[in-house]
Amino acid sequence: MVIEVISNSEKSKDSLSALQTIVKTVQDYGSAVAEALATASGITDWPTVQKETMESLTKADLVIVEATEFGFMEGYYTAQALHYKKPLLMLTRQSIADSPASGIKDRFLTLRHYDNAAEIKEIVDTFLRENSISAKDLRFNFFLDRKLYSYLREVSYESGKNKSEIIRELLEKEIEKREN
């Protein structure tokens, strides 16, 4: 699994410490960290940071945001991750009720408060376990030509099933045929 980790650690040593705990916990879980927001390493080439962060965000399976020092870019990346339907864990040392994200109602967002590194580790471990790819159905997109799409739409209408169900059933039948 690839995890995108985002933080605005330039404002606070505590945020940097939290970011390090998050990254270590992800690595201990056996997952790869896609990228930590470049302010942690002092990079200020913002066009490159933006491009690389967006690329790694689209490739990531999960996203973790340390949001104690939440700024515009962290909010932007959070919105993009939710738009891409990436499960997202937002951690903060501040009261969750005071967090700007407390008003966001999205099934992909998990918002948690922590007080110390042990709590970060426990929260991140739980999030990774609950959102492990082996425990979830996977999703992907593909393109169809007009003929295939028309056929799929017609079968969907006739059967009352959605297009995904029809494709899934066809794949399952093909797998069953190959296994016999």
Side-chain angles (χ1 to χ4, degrees):
M1 243 184 345
V2 178
I3 317 296
E4 172 75 6
V5 179
I6 299 170
S7 175
N8 186 347
S9 59
E10 73 179 358
K11 293 184 180 179
S12 165
K13 278 188 182 180
D14 292 335
S15 292
L16 182 55
S17 173
L19 179 62
Q20 290 167 336
T21 302
I22 293 166
V23 169
K24 181 167 181 3
T25 304
V26 167
Q27 291 170 338
D28 289 348
Y29 188 78
S31 295
V33 176
E35 177 184 349
L37 187 60
T39 56
S41 60
I43 297 170
T44 55
D45 176 12
W46 295 115
T48 301
V49 169
Q50 169 67 7
K51 179 179 178 275
E52 289 176 0
T53 302
M54 289 306 297
E55 286 174 359
S56 60
L57 188 62
T58 58
K59 294 175 187 173
D61 299 305
L62 304 173
V63 179
I64 300 174
V65 178
E66 200 298 318
T68 302
E69 300 292 338
F70 202 72
F72 174 81
M73 289 312 294
E74 292 77 29
Y76 176 76
Y77 295 135
T78 297
Q80 287 298 319
L82 294 175
H83 173 76
Y84 294 145
K85 302 195 182 318
K86 306 283 183 175
L88 185 140
L89 171 62
M90 185 176 288
L91 295 166
T92 181
R93 282 189 317 277
Q94 300 167 342
S95 165
I96 291 175
D98 297 336
S99 168
S102 66
I104 300 173
K105 302 299 179 219
D106 191 299
R107 68 186 177 108
F108 292 101
L109 176 65
T110 303
L111 184 59
R112 295 286 183 264
H113 172 266
Y114 70 91
D115 288 314
N116 55 49
E119 287 180 1
I120 293 172
K121 182 173 177 19
E122 182 181 330
I123 293 166
V124 171
D125 276 337
T126 300
F127 178 74
L128 294 175
R129 259 193 328 277
E130 289 175 353
N131 291 284
S132 174
I133 289 179
S134 61
K136 297 276 186 189
D137 288 338
L138 299 177
R139 167 192 155 137
F140 76 101
N141 297 323
F142 69 103
F143 295 96
L144 298 173
D145 63 20
R146 186 165 304 279
K147 180 181 175 185
L148 290 173
Y149 182 79
S150 295
Y151 173 78
L152 193 56
R153 185 179 58 207
E154 182 180 316
V155 172
S156 174
Y157 178 77
E158 291 172 358
S159 67
K161 297 177 183 176
N162 67 42
K163 296 174 195 82
S164 297
E165 288 176 299
I166 294 165
I167 292 171
R168 195 170 21 261
E169 286 175 2
L170 289 170
L171 287 171
E172 287 169 352
K173 285 178 186 176
E174 185 63 28
I175 291 169
E176 194 174 299
K177 259 196 309 191
R178 286 181 180 242
E179 289 177 349
N180 292 330

